[in-house]
Amino acid sequence: MVGEAADGEQGLELIRARIPDIALIDVQMPVMSGIEAARRIAAEPALSAVRVVILTNYGLNEYVFEALRAGASGFLLKDTEPADLLEAIEVVARGEALLSPSVTRTLIGEFVSRPPDRATPPGLECLTRREREVTALAARGLTNEEIAEHMVISPFTAKTHISRAMTKLGARDRAQLVVFAYESGLVAVRGADHRL
């Protein structure tokens, strides 16, 4: 552990001072919320390598969207088993998005209940057909290896397509790429059984 802070402002100062690889941040903290801390971390170029995982006791709702839009790479419930938490940290450290299963169900349920947005968000037109395809597959929860198998390409090529899509869309990490895929309509949600 690099450090621990009593509130969001202290946590942000500690992150600025030590620049950890991963910051585990409570969604509700005194002085500054975890979501605001994630937003500030994402906005500071010097902290671009810091990946934020939001932890909460709550059943999710609006926190999921707000946290992912703010730049969080993952969202976990505090009752996550210690071994699962360590695995989650490794996943986020590799640059992948991480959502606990209950968060995934909530996220998909929210998209299912929203009316479709017909406006194409800026950026979608800049993706090639392959980049759109890998982005959609990533949004459904496929790993680079699974994307490669599905598309009959190498895992390296899948990773390259994901990286290019993230660069073109200005996505900080895979979690933001997933949010973009759903918000843009690139991935059509047909029911709550899809994975992220």
Side-chain angles (χ1 to χ4, degrees):
M1 175 168 45
V2 171
E4 185 176 347
D7 63 52
E9 188 67 49
Q10 287 178 5
L12 185 57
E13 289 305 316
L14 187 62
I15 290 165
R16 286 176 178 142
R18 300 199 180 160
I19 310 181
D21 294 326
I22 307 288
L24 297 173
I25 300 177
D26 193 331
V27 74
Q28 290 192 323
M29 297 183 291
V31 184
M32 178 191 305
S33 74
I35 292 171
E36 180 58 26
R39 188 175 288 115
R40 291 188 188 186
I41 290 166
E44 291 188 31
L47 302 179
S48 64
V50 177
R51 298 291 173 243
V52 174
V53 176
I54 299 287
L55 298 170
T56 184
N57 283 326
Y58 304 97
L60 318 170
N61 56 42
E62 77 278 358
Y63 292 129
V64 178
F65 296 101
E66 223 181 318
L68 293 174
R69 285 187 187 113
S73 298
F75 198 97
L76 292 171
L77 297 178
K78 286 184 183 177
D79 64 0
T80 300
E81 292 295 323
D84 293 335
L85 180 60
L86 290 175
E87 183 180 339
I89 290 168
E90 290 174 4
V91 166
V92 172
R94 289 192 306 263
E96 297 179 33
L98 178 93
L99 300 174
S100 66
S102 58
V103 173
T104 302
R105 284 190 296 276
T106 297
L107 186 62
I108 291 170
E110 177 67 21
F111 276 107
V112 167
S113 68
R114 288 183 177 183
D117 182 4
R118 298 292 179 219
T120 302
L124 189 57
E125 68 283 350
C126 73
L127 297 181
T128 66
R129 181 184 58 79
R130 286 298 231 186
E131 289 163 353
R132 287 181 190 206
E133 189 176 353
V134 296
T135 299
L137 292 171
R140 289 195 173 102
L142 275 66
T143 65
N144 290 344
E145 290 74 20
E146 291 168 332
I147 290 169
E149 185 177 320
H150 179 83
M151 294 177 66
V152 193
I153 57 177
S154 74
F156 177 78
T157 301
K159 183 177 180 178
T160 299
H161 286 312
I162 291 285
S163 296
R164 286 184 183 153
M166 286 171 49
T167 299
K168 287 180 179 180
L169 298 172
R172 180 178 160 106
D173 56 28
R174 208 170 172 118
Q176 288 188 331
L177 191 65
V178 168
V179 169
F180 176 85
Y182 278 93
E183 288 185 336
S184 69
L186 186 60
V187 176
V189 181
R190 285 174 246 119
D193 61 332
H194 289 289
R195 321 187 280 168
L196 271 187

